[in-house]
Amino acid sequence: MNGFERRKQNKIDQIYSAAFPLFSKHGFQKVSVNEIAQSAKVSPATIYNYFGTKEQLYADMLMNWMDKQLEQYERILDSGSSFPEKTKDIMLLEAKNLHTLTDEFQNAPFSELSGLLQRIESEYEQKIRHFFTKFVALGKQEGYIQRDLTEEMMMMYFTMYKNELGRHWEASNRERVTLSMEQWVDMFFFGLVGQKQKMGK
């Protein structure tokens, strides 16, 4: 990346950083490009030059946010923690992100953004599936996931847990959910029987 491209990327990052809290707090329709530009310390023309429309800025901003969350998942998976500890951290982060993303999409005008949001969802689904393939392979390698379970079955199982965590991730419940994560992870790996033995033998 040369100097010009680096300066451009820095400005784009400034715009994303300014736009996300404004959209989250006030909703898509109530935030103007001028407000975002003022907060990002760039001109409105710069935003239009980079994104064309407010709708495209919104879509690109969400994709950027999702990519950064996926980078966090990758760092957790590549860390030196045990596989159950990695699973706990990923599930907890995913619950937080699901809550944030649900709130963000609720503020979006679907009639204006439906095509862009569908593209984002499709692209992100491909990226998360690639990550999940690595997650399952590591779990099988370390003996925590049965080797004969398909990736599709594991994806469905993980999604059930993620959705339930997200449902409980209300402001009044966050501390309680965080404190009970050990039980969530035990249930994830060992079910109701609670037989704490490695499954991949």
Side-chain angles (χ1 to χ4, degrees):
M1 185 181 293
N2 60 37
F4 173 78
E5 292 172 337
R6 191 177 300 110
R7 286 192 297 273
K8 178 180 177 180
Q9 188 57 54
N10 287 340
K11 283 190 178 181
I12 289 174
D13 290 340
Q14 283 176 235
I15 294 167
Y16 288 151
S17 296
F20 196 93
L22 287 171
F23 284 136
S24 297
K25 183 176 181 179
H26 304 292
F28 176 86
Q29 291 175 323
K30 293 183 179 179
V31 177
S32 70
V33 170
N34 286 345
E35 289 174 302
I36 296 170
Q38 184 176 5
S39 180
K41 296 180 172 56
V42 299
S43 70
T46 298
I47 293 178
Y48 286 116
N49 285 338
Y50 290 162
F51 302 101
T53 65
K54 187 173 77 166
E55 288 78 12
Q56 188 65 55
L57 164 60
Y58 185 87
D60 288 354
M61 176 203 70
L62 282 181
M63 192 72 244
N64 176 260
W65 180 83
M66 291 177 179
D67 284 345
K68 289 187 182 303
Q69 307 319 303
L70 191 55
E71 287 172 7
Q72 290 189 60
Y73 298 160
E74 293 279 2
R75 285 194 292 271
I76 292 170
L77 197 62
D78 293 339
S79 71
S81 302
S82 68
F83 188 74
E85 195 69 25
K86 292 176 182 180
T87 302
K88 180 184 76 173
D89 291 343
I90 290 169
M91 281 200 296
L92 189 56
L93 183 57
E94 181 71 353
K96 294 177 185 177
N97 290 341
L98 183 64
H99 182 78
T100 299
L101 201 55
T102 299
D103 286 351
E104 191 64 33
F105 274 111
Q106 284 175 347
N107 289 328
F110 285 96
S111 59
E112 299 173 43
L113 285 170
S114 59
L116 290 172
L117 296 183
Q118 286 174 3
R119 176 179 61 80
I120 289 174
E121 185 178 1
S122 176
E123 290 179 9
Y124 188 69
E125 186 176 332
Q126 291 178 15
K127 292 178 181 179
I128 201 70
R129 180 167 287 277
H130 176 72
F131 167 79
F132 196 77
T133 298
K134 290 174 57 179
F135 172 84
V136 171
L138 182 61
K140 288 182 177 182
Q141 178 184 329
E142 296 191 10
Y144 286 97
I145 296 176
Q146 295 182 56
R147 294 185 181 276
D148 58 348
L149 284 179
T150 64
E151 185 178 307
E152 288 73 21
M153 184 61 69
M154 276 302 304
M155 175 71 87
M156 182 177 69
Y157 187 62
F158 189 87
T159 299
M160 287 192 301
Y161 264 78
K162 175 195 71 174
N163 290 342
E164 188 63 16
L165 273 172
R167 192 173 70 83
H168 284 281
W169 193 254
E170 303 295 339
S172 59
N173 290 335
R174 292 179 187 184
E175 184 177 352
R176 181 170 60 80
V177 169
T178 303
L179 291 174
S180 65
M181 277 304 295
E182 295 296 335
Q183 289 185 326
W184 280 92
V185 173
D186 281 350
M187 286 280 289
F188 181 82
F189 285 113
F190 310 115
L192 293 174
V193 176
Q195 187 176 5
K196 296 185 178 181
Q197 62 181 12
K198 289 189 176 182
M199 302 290 290
K201 296 179 180 179

